[in-house]
Amino acid sequence: MTPGNNGASTPEDDDPFGYLYADGQANGAQPPSGGYGYPNSVNRVRPVGTRQYGAPQGQAAPPQQGVYGQPQGAYGQPNAHYAAPETLPGGGGPGAPQQPSGHGGGGGRRGPNTKGLLIGAVAVVAAVVIGIAVAMTSSGSDDDKGGTEAGGDPAPTQSASTEPSPSASDDAEKEEAELPSVDAKAMRLAGSASLASDVEGAQSDGGVYVANLNQPGASVTWTVDGIPEDGLYTLFTTYSAAGEDQSMTLTVNGKEFGSKLNLGNFAGAKDNDFAKGWTKTYAWPTLNKGTNTITLSCADGDKCNVLLDQFSLKKGQVKD
């Protein structure tokens, strides 16, 4: 007996993996038919180099028995129980169909078209702005058009006439300009009243004024024509007073005015300094349309030491 070799079924054969080696095969070692209480658990173990991957060409691989009696496919064949996820339907392997992305491609469900929504919003805003502008322009055009009375012609607009329509202020200025004024030398003098020009500052033509009014019975009368209508008017009197304030009697159309005409020393001139005492006062008489007479006289009890320069009129009650 060869040393180290005690024949078949000797302890050397107890090596459960002896059939995997050449010397074990030479001594007739065989793989176990069912090992260690696990049926068919090692019946697939084969000697090194003898395992085949896939069946030989032209020959189908015999079915393999899996654990717990479940059939197992041959090597190289798909097995439903152990197939990789990518080989199953809907798997993510290289061969699986790709799911369409939510943001690209031409197929499948697409995300919201933000560009289209933005363009639509801009268009709506532009339309609203244009509508407001058109409405404002139309409103302005309607306001510019004159009103039309029932059965009448439209009121002319600025563009319908080559000349501008007069404003209210223009009418007032025109009416005031048409009201008469008079220099003292053109009025009718009575009593001691006389013309003079030796004191400078009078606004009348040539600097001529009425003096010597400080005697009872002295007077000046202005017959004024061209009063446009009945009503209140303002009578302006230009004069010079020096030292003490003065006052005289005003008569309109033969009736004495309600109060004395105040001829105060508003310029603050000293006694007899008439060159520095030129000033103006006013009264609000009621005049008739057409011709009126206005008389300023020195009555008993009046203070009449003044130089009389001009009379002028304005419509209404004004102060300058």
Side-chain angles (χ1 to χ4, degrees), residues 16 23 38 42 44 50 74 82 90 98 101 114 136 152 154-155 189 193 195 207 220 227 237 256 267 278-279 314:
D23 54 352
Y38 296 93
V42 295
R44 293 185 300 276
T50 63
Y82 299 96
Q98 299 294 322
S101 171
T114 56
M136 293 179 65
L189 307 182
L195 299 179
V220 294
I227 300 301
T237 302
E256 188 174 326
W278 294 105
T279 185
K314 284 187 178 181

Side-chain angles (χ1 to χ4, degrees), residues 205-255:
D205 185 21
V208 178
Y209 53 89
V210 176
N212 301 319
L213 290 170
N214 56 346
Q215 299 294 323
S219 67
V220 294
T221 299
W222 179 27
T223 300
V224 54
D225 297 322
I227 300 301
E229 59 184 359
D230 297 346
L232 287 171
Y233 290 82
T234 301
L235 172 67
F236 291 99
T237 302
T238 305
Y239 67 99
S240 177
E244 189 179 1
D245 292 337
Q246 308 295 303
S247 62
M248 297 178 68
T249 299
L250 180 65
T251 303
V252 178
N253 294 326
K255 296 181 180 180

Side-chain angles (χ1 to χ4, degrees), residues 131-146:
I132 293 174
V134 171
M136 293 179 65
T137 303
S138 300
S139 176
S141 300
D142 293 341
D143 291 342
D144 291 340
K145 296 179 180 179

Side-chain angles (χ1 to χ4, degrees), residues 162-186:
T162 57
E163 297 181 359
S165 58
S167 62
S169 59
D170 293 339
D171 291 340
E173 290 177 359
K174 183 178 180 181
E175 189 172 355
E176 291 175 1
E178 290 177 350
L179 291 177
S181 62
V182 63
D183 290 343
K185 65 180 181 180

